[in-house]
């Protein structure tokens, strides 16, 4: 599994941004990919993309990211 993040995940995220390259490499290796983003404005088939609570940007702090990861982990183990 590969987990990555970006402040805003949009159509440009797959066009040269680091997140797009991480997704590309992970998928090529057959790995599950989860992206956490402050704002989600695009989707990718086969990639789980999770927005942070309240649409807070990723750079607003670790608390927003921790909340999103904890919620995701609870759902994944339910």
């Amino acid at each position: 599994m590969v987990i990555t993040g970006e402040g805003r995940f949009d159509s440009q995220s797959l066009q040269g941004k680091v997140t797009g390259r991480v997704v590309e490499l992970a998928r090529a290796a057959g790995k599950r990919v989860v992206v956490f983003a402050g704002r989600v404005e695009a989707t990718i088939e086969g990639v789980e993309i999770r927005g942070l609570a309240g649409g807070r940007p990723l750079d607003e702090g670790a608390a927003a990211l921790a909340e999103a990861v904890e919620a995701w982990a609870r759902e994944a183990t339910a």
Side-chain angles (χ1 to χ4, degrees), residues 2-3 18-19 25 29 34 36 38-39 43 47-48 56 59 71:
V2 175
I3 299 174
V18 172
T19 300
L25 291 170
V34 181
F36 288 92
R39 292 192 183 111
T43 60
V47 175
E48 186 176 353
R56 294 183 293 188
D59 63 356

Side-chain angles (χ1 to χ4, degrees), residues 50-73:
R50 303 290 300 245
L52 301 189
R56 294 183 293 188
L58 195 57
D59 63 356
E60 275 193 7
L65 180 57
E67 289 171 21
V69 171
E70 287 172 8
W72 170 77

Side-chain angles (χ1 to χ4, degrees), residues 29-53:
K31 302 296 181 186
R32 179 179 174 191
V33 183
V34 181
V35 176
F36 288 92
R39 292 192 183 111
V40 178
E41 298 176 2
T43 60
I44 307 170
E45 185 176 335
V47 175
E48 186 176 353
I49 303 171
R50 303 290 300 245
L52 301 189

Side-chain angles (χ1 to χ4, degrees), residues 4-46:
T4 188
E6 187 166 347
R8 182 176 73 191
F9 191 86
D10 58 22
S11 61
Q12 294 181 356
S13 296
L14 300 177
Q15 300 173 8
K17 287 187 174 182
V18 172
T19 300
R21 183 70 175 135
V22 169
V23 168
E24 180 183 311
L25 291 170
R27 291 178 81 185
K31 302 296 181 186
R32 179 179 174 191
V33 183
V34 181
V35 176
F36 288 92
R39 292 192 183 111
V40 178
E41 298 176 2
T43 60
I44 307 170
E45 185 176 335

